[in-house]
Amino acid sequence: MKQVLLTGGTGLIGTRLTQLLFERGYSVAYLTRGSKSEAKIDPKVRQYRWDVRKNMLDEQALLDSQYLIHLAGAGIAEGRWTEERKREIIDSRVQTMELITRKLKDSGHRFESFVSASGISYYGADTGAERISEQHTPGVDFLADVVIKWEAAADQLQALGIRTVKLRTGIVLDTKGGALKSFLIPVRLNLGSPLGSGEQFISWIHTDDLCRMYIEALENASWTGAYNAVAPNPVTNEELVKKTAAVLHKPYWAPNVPAWVLKALFGEMSIAVLGGNYILNQRIRLETDFEYEYPELEPALKAILT
């Protein structure tokens, strides 16, 4: 039984991915810090300690594992972007990977493959209606800088000769967390309205499709480099709110939430909801045999919400 080692395993993606990995016959292990949230970890998951600030990582975690998935990272939309928060967002992604790289070099161990989370904000927080494939140049704003540094840290493992895949993920649809949970609050209060213009594109993916993509990337030796991990059909913010309200049998309010209100509430972070990206899953579509379970928004929402 081969072991998959996860960072960030207790998060939204890690929790569901762990279930699917067990179903496929893998052993699963987490790098943990011993926080309260980890008390709910599935007892079948092996736990190894690490502490990035102390440069500490149980090297046995590396030696026992054949695969690595890097999901760790502070939430982008959890609080205003103070300078301290910005550093935390970057460091939680980059320093964790740098620690693993140093320990791997010391141990001489090599994973069979490595998959790192990444984000479509690599291209910038707001690229309008332009169709964006993996060949597009990176953006120049804060969110783009986060992902550029995130991927550069992941590429250190590729430099060690480990097949490396980076999944540039869009908005993940799941009620347990992520952006959809935030959208659901006003809709369930009968106050569902578009944010800002409502015309900004949202490139989304169902949690299960994303987790299946991680597993495919681990197992399939033809996968390498960066892929846009999004469903084939982006929608506008307005369409997402409308369809969410319809699935929940809630009213849809035509008046949009003005951009100035969101800027007042969230400051610079408001670009995360006011910006939009029309992302193409070009490499997934043309270079792989991956089949989506939820390529369309409405069935995806129904599977999640009903």
Side-chain angles (χ1 to χ4, degrees), residues 5-270:
L5 180 64
L6 273 66
T7 73
T10 59
L12 176 69
I13 304 305
T15 302
R16 180 58 177 148
L17 181 54
T18 296
Q19 295 172 341
L20 296 181
L21 286 167
F22 279 140
E23 289 176 10
R24 290 185 70 90
Y26 288 98
S27 173
V28 179
Y30 291 175
L31 288 171
T32 66
R33 296 187 299 266
S35 65
K36 292 181 180 178
S37 65
E38 288 156 4
K40 298 180 180 179
I41 291 176
D42 188 314
K44 297 192 298 294
V45 174
R46 299 181 68 181
Q47 297 183 50
Y48 301 86
R49 295 298 179 193
W50 72 335
D51 189 323
V52 177
R53 292 181 180 178
K54 296 179 180 178
N55 193 38
M56 186 275 288
L57 188 158
D58 182 350
E59 291 187 18
Q60 198 61 43
L62 310 179
L63 300 175
D64 290 344
S65 304
Q66 288 72 47
Y67 305 101
L68 173 67
I69 294 178
H70 180 43
L71 302 172
I76 294 292
E78 296 174 8
R80 279 178 169 260
W81 290 348
T82 62
E83 289 306 310
E84 181 180 0
R85 181 60 178 171
K86 284 183 174 180
R87 285 194 299 273
E88 182 182 3
I89 288 170
I90 293 174
D91 290 349
S92 62
R93 289 161 169 77
V94 174
Q95 291 184 359
T96 48
M97 200 66 252
E98 290 177 341
L99 174 59
I100 291 172
T101 302
R102 288 196 299 272
K103 297 300 183 180
L104 271 178
K105 286 180 178 178
D106 292 343
S107 69
H109 180 68
R110 295 294 178 265
F111 297 113
E112 293 182 23
S113 60
F114 162 54
V115 186
S116 176
S118 181
I120 59 173
S121 49
Y122 173 88
Y123 309 106
D126 186 11
T127 51
E130 182 180 2
R131 274 48 173 171
I132 306 291
S133 72
E134 289 88 352
Q135 287 72 44
H136 199 277
T137 55
V140 294
D141 55 28
F142 168 65
L143 287 180
D145 186 51
V146 170
V147 182
I148 291 167
K149 291 175 178 175
W150 196 0
E151 291 196 2
D155 286 340
Q156 295 178 61
L157 261 67
Q158 183 168 294
L160 296 178
I162 299 169
R163 182 173 63 83
T164 297
V165 179
K166 296 163 288 188
L167 295 181
R168 293 175 181 161
T169 308
I171 298 297
V172 180
L173 298 188
D174 195 301
T175 58
K176 298 181 183 67
L180 183 62
K181 187 176 181 180
S182 300
F183 278 111
L184 287 174
I185 294 172
V187 172
R188 283 178 165 152
L189 292 173
N190 298 327
L191 296 172
S193 300
L195 304 179
S197 70
E199 296 176 357
Q200 63 270 39
F201 280 100
I202 294 179
S203 296
W204 59 275
I205 186 167
H206 188 287
T207 312
D208 282 5
D209 278 335
L210 178 60
C211 291
R212 290 172 51 246
M213 211 174 273
Y214 269 97
I215 295 171
E216 182 72 13
L218 274 188
E219 296 178 340
N220 193 325
S222 68
W223 287 53
T224 185
Y227 296 79
N228 290 336
V230 295
N233 300 293
V235 297
T236 63
N237 175 278
E238 181 178 11
E239 186 177 356
L240 175 61
V241 176
K242 270 186 179 179
K243 290 194 173 180
T244 301
V247 169
L248 292 174
H249 304 292
K250 296 289 186 177
Y252 169 79
W253 291 72
N256 295 25
V257 179
W260 67 265
V261 172
L262 297 168
K263 289 177 181 178
L265 287 172
F266 303 116
E268 185 184 358
M269 192 188 75
S270 62

